[in-house]
Amino acid sequence: MVESGTATDLLRWIPLLPLLGALVHGVGLGLLRREMARPLVIAISCGAPIAAFAVTCVAFARLLGLPGEQRALVDSVYNWIGSGRVSADLAFSFDALTAVMCLVVTGVGSLIHVYSIGYMDDDHRDDGGFQRFFAYLNLFLCAMLLLVLGDNLLVLFLGWEGVGLCSYLLIGFWYGDRWNAYCGMKAFVVNRIGDFGFLVGIFLLLWSLGDAATLNFAELRAVLPRIAEQTVSVPAWLPGGAEWKLTTLIGLCFFLGACGKSAQIPLYTWLPDAMAGPTPVSALIHAATMVTAGVYMVCRLSFLYETAPGAAATIAWTGGATALFAATMAIAQTDIKKVLAYSTVSQLGYMFVAAGCGAYSAAIFHVGTHAFFKALLFLGSGAVILAMHHEQDTDRMGGLRRWLPVTHAVFLVAVLAIAGFPPFSGFFSKDEVLLSAYAAHQIPGHQALWAIGLVTAAITAFYMWRLHFRTFFGECRADAETQRHIHEPGWTVLGPLVVLAVLSAVGGFFGLPAIWGEKIGLPNALGELLHGVLPQPEHHVSHATEYALAGAAIGAATLGTLVAAWMYVWSPGVPAAIRSATGALSRLVENKYYVDEIYDALIVRPLVAISDRVLFRVVDAGVIDGALVNGTALGVRAFAGNLLKYAQSGLTQGYLVTMVVGTLVIVAWMLR
Amino acid sequence: MDLLDGRLLTIVTFLPLATGLVLLVLLRGLPERVWKIVALASTTLTFLLSLLLWFRYDATRPGHQFVEHVAWLPNWGIHYFVGIDGMSLLLVVLTTFLMPLVLLAAWNEQRKQARTFLFMNLFLETGMLGAFVSLNLFQFYVFWEVMLVPMYFIIGIWGGQRRVYAAVKFFLFTMVGSLLMLIAMIVLYGLHQEQFGAVSFDLVRVPGGGVPGLLETAVPLAGQAVWWKTQPWLFAAFALAFGIKVPMVPFHTWLPDAHVEAPTSGSVILAGVLLKMGTYGFVRFALPLFPIAAEQAAPLIFALALIGILYGALVAMVQTDIKKLVAYSSVAHLGFVMLGIFALNEEGLEGSILQMVNHGLSTGALFLLVGMVYERRHTRQISAFGGIAKPMPVFALLFGIVAMSSIGLPGLNGFVGEFLILAGAFVVNPWVGTAAAFGVVLAAAYLLWAYRRMFFGPVEEPENRALIDLDWRERFVILAVVVPIFWIGVNPNPFLRRLDASVSDLLHQMETRKAAALQTAPPVQAAVSALGVELAEGAVR
């Protein structure tokens, strides 16, 4: 047993509190069909995450009081599954990495719960939909906290699947609509493909570690050197030759899981469709927390990826490719939430670039700032959607700053943050990510990766300003009736927006890179916190280069901004002109490169068709049941009916002949 | 409770049949309701008594407990010999647990010959329990065959449109396998007599002396004796009988027909318990009796199990009848169970036996749920539904929980079994383990797709708009299953710990018997380990 931290009973309460909230609603509404009074629903379901946040703060304070860099709190509840070489406790550990994730999850989670009170106010008045929504939301929070608190791979997986379930339930929250239900199912099934990778990763660890098999993170870290140098043979046509490091294979399996949950190529297609869920869900699950679970997992397993350069490079490049690819798709979307969805995919790509390049704390830094500004963007767009009576198409918006000054202001902060303008939070974290790519000599083509990140930054600025201008500037394109009813939402909606706007503005100062921090005497608090938990990359980049890189990033952001301003403010005729000039190309982008259609045609349809027409109709019904089973039965009947019946002829002579022949055969046998 | 000491197992086994006979002979003139109450009370009492077994079972002790041995036909070595270890304990409790629920679920169903129906169910319960507790091979065979009779009638009399075809098919399939098993049993009996000079069908030595059990018989390897006396052939006969019952692909086509035509209670018992007869037969008889042949056959069984997992899931995906979909999903789930058994390691075996219980619970509950909606709509076509989460929210919630259990969501029971099975299979053969793990993706696909088509979307059919949600009786029935679904998912150790001694006993027994057999013969390269080692060597260098 590896000594892994100071024991406490505190940690179990963090996921337990939201679970209790979910249980109360689940039993009361789900089973007894008794709808609770609304104030009580609100008190329970918003109280739970706030209480969890408070407990997290207490735990965090206690953590900071502990000496040493590898400090952690642990809480082992009981042995969950134990059989043969598989043994996993229901155990939680709280180190700096978990602390950051927990603070973000419970903090942003609480804000979004409060926001939902207003947003879901008039939803499903007839069947307790309000309460159902909060039941799912609390359950989600519980699962997400299990995920980040889990002390072993199995508890992490429990949370991992739990958030997937809640995502499924919440995407399809308005289940009366076929499309929503389809999107929910798609999310779950695509995620399951990733989970398959996750499971195979676990099994590979169990298999290769032999007698030392364990699922506990601290123990894995200790025993991993045993297999760090092993290799496996793989088909020779795979990149990297016929011999792979075992850890690379394991790392790639886990990364497949991360690709599913964090919407990376090739499994990203579920996330844009996940926007079918209510907007607070998009903010909490599909922007701030759940989708960053893959990044968290890679950081949690950093000790594995440190020994798996091939896997790390794959992560970095997948992240880079996804960042750019998704950004180009965001350009042409008109649905306000779809733009944000592709933007999320793209930003998650950034996080994987950093994680793949070994800059794990930069990845977590971006997870944090992204949680602030992307939650703000989604909640802000929710305020817009609410004001526009559930209109999501920016083609029917415009000029909204006139009616929604507060929403416009907070949205602007978020746009500045994601576009990467200093001193907003996104600037610092994105800068760290780009720097890590530039400096990562172990990654093949790391400078090209940096360039991709830079181009993506310009595109990001462009599509975010495009969205902002089309929503809040110009003439309103909504009909007069809608225009008359546009108004700012209530305080439960605006309050969380303002808090998130402040965090988006100043969040960068939690993890201020040294080159900036030295100037104003502010330490890199996040970096120091994570120092003992996550491996740190060794940068060999001069300060001059760092400033140059930052300058390039600001330049890219400015360029994107100017192009957007030119196209959507100064010369509004340009977009249409570009569109007609590049007909096929813009159609390709608008239709998201037809990836969904390609997957459908290449995988889904053939699978169903083969299962139905070949496996079921031909093999099962035709060959096995028809020819073999019923064929045998018919054969026996034919044999009995056509041949055996002559034996029962009733003619004594016939019986006599049979008897004599039979006797002769037996005698011959005995005399042999 | 002294009354029960030493005969608890017999009471548990025969209480249902005794009640059934009372019902048939004595209670003739009473109203139908009384019959139902009597049957329900008797099965509930059986369950409560089996809980005594659960709590009194000493998990730390290897070997069989609650043993009873009575001479029956001693000249032939046939005795009434019962006893349970951890593996049979779990299945006994599963059986007694499901039976009252099945009767309760059928409470309002109007059917012809209601009394006979109840009798058949009670008779069936005794048949199943008898098979699980038998330690005498001949006695096991009697129960194994006896069980067919009530199930044949349940499908054939109270089934759907094509009930006679389905019943005959079910009967014939099982009979073909069992006849071969009977012959193999007699051969084994002969071998035992040759070696020990005494006759016995007892599997193990009776506590406190007596004749050595069949398990101590040295079964010749291939080439050491006439072919029909050797392990491969004897194992094949047993494996065919059990494999048909499981069912393993390609012997599975009786299952969809039987399930679809059977009334709800028949489907639940068929899926919940009868299929486990096959997998149980493997762990109780085929593995310890013929360890070398079992190891040699493992690659073949691995392949069939894997085909079952993937093929069953894909075929389930395209079913239009929800009951048929659940039936094919059983083929996939039982494929997992077979995979874990033939991994022949602790986590695989424990996972498999737990998964037998899990499948009994989740698939049993799915059939109960399908039955409930069938009672309302008289159709099982998925396309006839749509949006019924709106009129039936409680039904939707419970169906969702059970479906998630079947999909293998962590925190629910199915995950624990599947995870252990896959972990066990993976260390034996990583490729098979990986391919089987893909089954979890397909499980999500077919169940969620069906769930979406049934429960989500707009309510278009007018009949669906008027659907009435589950009443409290129905809620109770499903909740009773949902509780252990959560319990096993959250804390499976009370179940797993009861298996430890039996499973390690089994593995130990196989090892020693293997070693003993190989001492007397030139070493036979055990195919499974060869394949496993080869792959492992190829993979890790």
Side-chain angles (χ1 to χ4, degrees):
Chain A
M1 197 63 195
V2 177
E3 190 52 53
S4 49
T6 312
T8 172
D9 285 348
L10 194 63
L11 299 180
R12 64 189 65 174
W13 289 99
I14 301 175
L16 191 59
L17 287 165
L19 180 65
L20 290 175
L23 276 181
V24 170
H25 296 316
V27 173
L29 183 74
L31 208 57
L32 309 174
R33 299 308 300 171
R34 292 275 176 279
E35 217 176 314
M36 220 182 264
R38 217 161 250 219
L40 198 59
V41 175
I42 293 168
I44 292 173
S45 43
C46 295
I50 293 170
F53 179 65
V55 178
T56 306
C57 289
V58 172
F60 188 49
R62 206 179 280 180
L63 181 76
L64 292 179
L66 291 175
E69 283 199 325
Q70 302 244 345
R71 57 197 174 186
L73 301 172
V74 291
D75 182 0
S76 186
V77 187
Y78 64 92
N79 183 262
W80 176 25
I81 300 176
S83 171
R85 78 194 73 202
V86 178
S87 178
D89 288 353
L90 184 71
F92 308 117
S93 85
F94 193 84
D95 59 3
L97 174 58
T98 297
V100 173
M101 293 300 292
C102 264
L103 285 170
V104 170
V105 170
T106 53
V108 176
S110 299
L111 289 172
I112 294 174
H113 273 74
V114 173
Y115 175 94
S116 306
I117 300 171
Y119 192 86
M120 300 303 289
D121 186 45
D122 58 354
D123 202 77
H124 277 276
R125 282 271 175 201
D126 55 333
D127 66 349
F130 187 77
Q131 196 177 348
R132 185 162 62 89
F133 180 80
F134 277 104
Y136 293 165
L137 219 53
N138 278 1
L139 187 63
F140 166 76
L141 215 60
C142 165
M144 188 68 208
L145 289 165
L146 286 174
L147 196 161
V148 295
L149 279 162
D151 190 31
N152 55 54
L153 279 166
L154 225 50
V155 179
L156 198 161
F157 192 67
L158 170 68
W160 187 269
E161 293 276 284
V163 292
L165 169 71
C166 297
S167 166
Y168 163 77
L169 292 171
L170 283 162
I171 294 169
F173 179 74
W174 291 307
Y175 60 81
D177 187 317
R178 258 198 204 104
W179 171 248
N180 298 346
Y182 166 77
C183 293
M185 184 189 90
K186 180 175 173 183
F188 197 94
V189 174
V190 173
N191 264 293
R192 269 262 152 159
I193 297 173
D195 299 345
F196 158 73
F198 195 130
L199 279 176
V200 173
I202 293 180
F203 296 139
L204 276 169
L205 276 175
L206 288 176
W207 171 66
S208 57
L209 285 170
D211 293 336
T214 174
L215 298 170
N216 179 283
F217 291 122
E219 290 172 20
L220 273 177
R221 187 196 285 261
V223 299
L224 198 77
R226 291 188 188 200
I227 58 165
E229 295 309 319
Q230 284 185 22
T231 58
V232 290
S233 46
V234 294
W237 47 266
L238 286 170
E243 291 277 306
W244 279 16
K245 284 189 78 173
L246 179 60
T247 48
T248 295
L249 182 64
I250 298 174
L252 286 178
C253 285
F254 281 113
F255 181 57
L256 181 63
C259 280
K261 195 101 320 182
S262 294
Q264 297 296 293
I265 294 172
L267 299 180
Y268 71 91
T269 52
W270 67 271
L271 184 59
D273 285 342
M275 297 301 121
T279 308
V281 172
S282 313
L284 179 61
I285 301 184
H286 304 119
T289 56
M290 182 188 86
V291 289
T292 62
V295 183
Y296 166 78
M297 179 180 70
V298 170
C299 293
R300 181 50 76 203
L301 296 176
S302 53
F303 58 87
L304 173 73
Y305 288 104
E306 287 291 289
T307 66
T314 310
I315 293 176
W317 271 101
T318 307
T322 309
L324 181 63
F325 186 62
T328 61
M329 285 188 277
I331 292 176
Q333 298 299 311
T334 58
D335 183 313
I336 188 167
K337 286 178 71 181
K338 279 278 164 71
V339 177
L340 296 178
Y342 282 107
S343 160
T344 305
V345 176
S346 171
Q347 296 294 314
L348 290 165
Y350 271 126
M351 299 171 202
F352 281 109
V353 169
C357 291
Y360 300 100
S361 41
I364 293 297
F365 186 24
H366 201 57
V367 166
T369 59
H370 177 258
F372 298 146
F373 62 68
K374 189 52 69 62
L376 176 54
L377 284 169
F378 267 114
L379 296 186
S381 75
V384 170
I385 293 167
L386 213 52
M388 301 292 293
H389 291 271
H390 293 277
E391 175 60 69
Q392 297 189 190
D393 195 341
T394 49
D395 280 345
R396 285 189 283 279
M397 294 180 186
L400 295 183
R401 67 189 156 145
R402 188 144 56 94
W403 295 283
L404 308 172
V406 182
T407 307
H408 170 241
V410 295
F411 208 87
L412 184 63
V413 172
V415 170
L416 286 166
I418 189 174
F421 285 101
F424 295 92
S425 59
F427 166 72
F428 296 111
S429 56
K430 192 182 285 180
D431 205 34
E432 282 277 86
V433 171
L434 290 176
L435 172 66
S436 73
Y438 187 82
H441 293 284
Q442 77 278 19
I443 305 293
H446 62 103
Q447 275 165 337
L449 196 56
W450 169 80
I452 288 176
L454 193 69
V455 172
T456 306
I459 301 176
T460 307
F462 171 75
Y463 69 69
M464 282 316 302
W465 283 110
R466 168 179 176 268
L467 179 69
H468 192 72
F469 292 142
R470 281 169 54 85
T471 308
F472 292 103
F473 285 74
E475 285 301 307
C476 188
R477 295 176 291 274
D479 55 67
E481 177 62 22
T482 313
Q483 285 194 27
R484 238 199 336 276
H485 291 106
I486 301 176
H487 62 88
E488 280 286 25
W491 71 267
T492 53
V493 171
L494 289 184
L497 286 179
V498 173
V499 177
L500 283 169
V502 172
L503 287 169
S504 302
V506 305
F509 292 94
F510 292 127
L512 211 54
I515 50 161
W516 310 104
E518 283 163 5
K519 289 251 181 316
I520 55 172
L522 202 66
N524 184 344
L526 186 74
E528 282 171 20
L529 188 67
L530 293 172
H531 187 71
V533 185
L534 297 174
Q536 306 291 318
E538 289 164 25
H539 282 173
H540 302 290
V541 180
S542 68
H543 275 194
T545 320
E546 278 199 50
Y547 284 123
L549 293 178
I554 297 172
T558 314
L559 181 68
T561 309
L562 290 176
V563 175
W566 170 59
M567 282 173 62
Y568 295 98
V569 182
W570 301 326
S571 325
V574 174
I578 293 178
R579 217 167 154 256
S580 59
T582 60
L585 184 67
S586 33
R587 262 201 309 285
L588 186 68
V589 175
E590 275 164 27
N591 287 296
K592 303 158 284 193
Y593 304 102
Y594 298 99
V595 174
D596 278 314
E597 287 77 4
I598 292 169
Y599 281 3
D600 208 43
L602 287 187
I603 299 167
V604 181
R605 276 166 210 277
L607 196 66
V608 172
I610 289 170
S611 301
D612 190 33
R613 291 196 205 121
V614 180
L615 292 183
F616 179 51
R617 286 179 207 285
V618 175
V619 178
D620 212 70
V623 177
I624 298 179
D625 206 40
L628 297 180
V629 175
N630 291 334
T632 309
L634 288 176
V636 169
R637 200 163 72 188
F639 175 67
N642 297 330
L643 297 171
L644 281 188
K645 70 174 179 191
Y646 296 116
Q648 301 267 342
S649 57
L651 297 173
T652 320
Q653 301 95 309
Y655 292 156
L656 201 64
V657 170
T658 315
M659 198 174 83
V660 171
V661 171
T663 313
L664 284 175
V665 168
I666 291 171
V667 169
W669 171 261
M670 289 169 77
L671 295 177
R672 117 196 99 104
Chain B
M1 286 293 160
D2 285 337
L3 187 73
L4 300 176
D5 273 348
R7 59 192 80 145
L8 185 53
L9 221 43
T10 301
I11 295 173
V12 168
T13 308
F14 287 98
L15 183 62
L17 179 62
T19 321
L21 290 172
V22 167
L23 207 61
L24 210 57
V25 180
L26 298 178
L27 301 181
R28 213 171 176 155
L30 293 172
E32 190 178 330
R33 206 175 166 72
V34 176
W35 301 335
K36 281 182 175 168
I37 291 172
V38 169
L40 183 64
S42 142
T43 50
T44 310
L45 184 62
T46 311
F47 171 60
L48 294 175
L49 289 172
S50 74
L51 282 185
L52 277 183
L53 293 174
W54 174 266
F55 288 111
R56 289 187 184 180
Y57 180 79
D58 181 359
T60 56
R61 231 178 69 201
H64 295 88
Q65 304 181 19
F66 307 99
V67 173
E68 296 168 47
H69 191 273
V70 180
W72 179 9
L73 300 169
N75 292 344
W76 302 90
I78 296 167
H79 307 279
Y80 174 76
F81 186 17
V82 296
I84 53 172
D85 63 357
M87 306 191 259
S88 20
L89 173 69
L90 259 60
L91 293 168
V92 164
V93 176
L94 173 72
T95 309
T96 59
F97 172 73
L98 284 178
M99 211 63 208
L101 295 179
V102 163
L103 295 181
L104 192 58
W107 200 256
N108 288 346
E109 281 173 31
Q110 297 297 322
R111 63 176 94 242
K112 55 189 178 187
Q113 302 166 44
R115 201 160 44 100
T116 321
F117 178 75
L118 292 171
F119 169 77
M120 287 299 173
N121 275 295
L122 294 165
F123 185 24
L124 182 62
E125 182 172 10
T126 292
M128 297 183 297
L129 292 172
F132 284 135
V133 301
S134 288
L135 290 179
N136 183 289
L137 196 53
F138 187 86
Q139 181 200 344
F140 170 78
Y141 187 78
V142 170
F143 279 110
W144 167 275
E145 292 287 293
V146 150
M147 216 162 31
L148 285 181
V149 177
M151 190 42 100
Y152 173 77
F153 284 119
I154 288 175
I155 300 174
I157 298 179
W158 296 282
Q161 295 276 308
R162 295 169 69 231
R163 56 180 179 269
V164 175
Y165 170 77
V168 171
K169 197 170 177 180
F170 163 75
F171 202 91
L172 284 183
F173 256 91
T174 318
M175 280 304 277
V176 169
S178 345
L179 275 177
L180 288 172
M181 181 169 74
L182 180 65
I183 296 166
M185 275 168 51
I186 293 166
V187 172
L188 190 66
Y189 174 78
L191 282 170
H192 176 267
Q193 192 182 2
E194 276 171 28
Q195 285 169 28
F196 300 105
V199 289
S200 175
F201 272 109
D202 288 352
L203 201 56
V204 293
R205 204 185 279 260
V206 182
V211 186
L214 283 180
L215 277 180
E216 290 168 57
T217 317
V219 186
L221 304 180
Q224 289 177 337
V226 201
W227 61 268
W228 46 269
K229 277 188 179 175
T230 58
Q231 285 208 20
W233 291 98
L234 293 175
F235 175 79
F238 272 77
L240 188 69
F242 298 139
I244 288 174
K245 202 82 166 182
V246 167
M248 299 189 70
V249 177
F251 307 115
H252 65 282
T253 56
W254 65 269
L255 178 100
D257 283 318
H259 270 316
V260 169
E261 297 309 321
T264 298
S265 59
S267 306
V268 175
I269 294 302
L270 198 55
V273 186
L274 277 194
L275 304 187
K276 305 328 179 292
M277 244 7 120
T279 47
Y280 174 77
F282 275 104
V283 288
R284 173 64 67 233
F285 303 105
L287 291 189
L289 283 172
F290 318 109
I292 293 175
E295 275 197 6
Q296 284 168 331
L300 174 67
I301 300 212
F302 254 46
L304 290 179
L306 183 61
I307 293 172
I309 291 170
L310 301 176
Y311 174 88
L314 288 173
V315 175
M317 188 166 71
V318 295
Q319 296 307 311
T320 53
D321 178 324
I322 181 70
K323 208 168 177 185
K324 219 163 182 172
L325 185 148
V326 180
Y328 274 105
S329 84
S330 288
V331 175
H333 280 122
L334 271 296
F336 273 110
V337 176
M338 290 307 294
L339 196 67
I341 291 174
F342 277 81
L344 296 175
N345 52 31
E346 203 177 327
E347 55 271 32
L349 272 163
E350 289 193 354
S352 279
I353 297 158
L354 188 64
Q355 192 66 2
M356 294 182 204
V357 176
N358 292 338
H359 177 262
L361 294 172
S362 56
T363 306
L366 280 177
F367 277 123
L368 286 170
L369 288 159
V370 170
M372 287 169 188
V373 78
Y374 180 79
E375 245 180 86
R376 289 164 167 76
R377 280 285 272 108
H378 298 285
T379 176
R380 290 184 303 255
Q381 289 299 311
I382 295 173
S383 56
F385 298 97
I388 62 169
K390 188 90 181 162
M392 301 181 77
V394 176
F395 180 67
L397 172 74
L398 294 175
F399 201 113
I401 292 173
V402 175
M404 281 297 162
S405 144
S406 187
I407 288 173
L409 191 83
L412 303 179
N413 59 349
F415 171 71
V416 182
E418 272 179 19
F419 184 84
L420 292 176
I421 288 169
L422 288 172
F426 196 95
V427 296
V428 174
N429 186 332
W431 299 111
V432 173
T434 304
F438 199 75
V440 302
V441 179
L442 297 177
Y446 67 74
L447 268 172
L448 288 186
W449 191 25
Y451 192 82
R452 171 166 75 89
R453 285 178 289 164
M454 282 182 72
F455 289 91
F456 295 152
V459 193
E460 275 163 356
E461 304 279 327
E463 294 105 310
N464 289 339
R465 208 162 293 140
L467 280 174
I468 298 163
D469 208 353
L470 302 189
D471 63 25
W472 275 105
R473 175 185 58 86
E474 293 168 316
R475 283 182 211 189
F476 173 81
V477 170
I478 304 299
L479 270 181
V481 186
V482 166
V483 168
I485 280 178
F486 274 101
W487 181 29
I488 299 178
V490 172
N491 188 15
N493 281 343
F495 294 79
L496 294 172
R497 291 296 76 78
R498 279 174 170 77
L499 293 174
D500 282 342
S502 320
V503 165
S504 57
D505 210 31
L506 170 65
L507 290 171
H508 177 72
Q509 216 165 40
M510 287 183 71
E511 277 311 308
T512 47
R513 279 174 60 73
K514 210 170 75 187
L518 291 178
Q519 258 178 8
T520 60
V524 174
Q525 183 69 354
V528 63
S529 51
L531 184 70
V533 167
E534 203 174 278
L535 274 162
E537 279 173 354
V540 179
R541 205 161 290 146

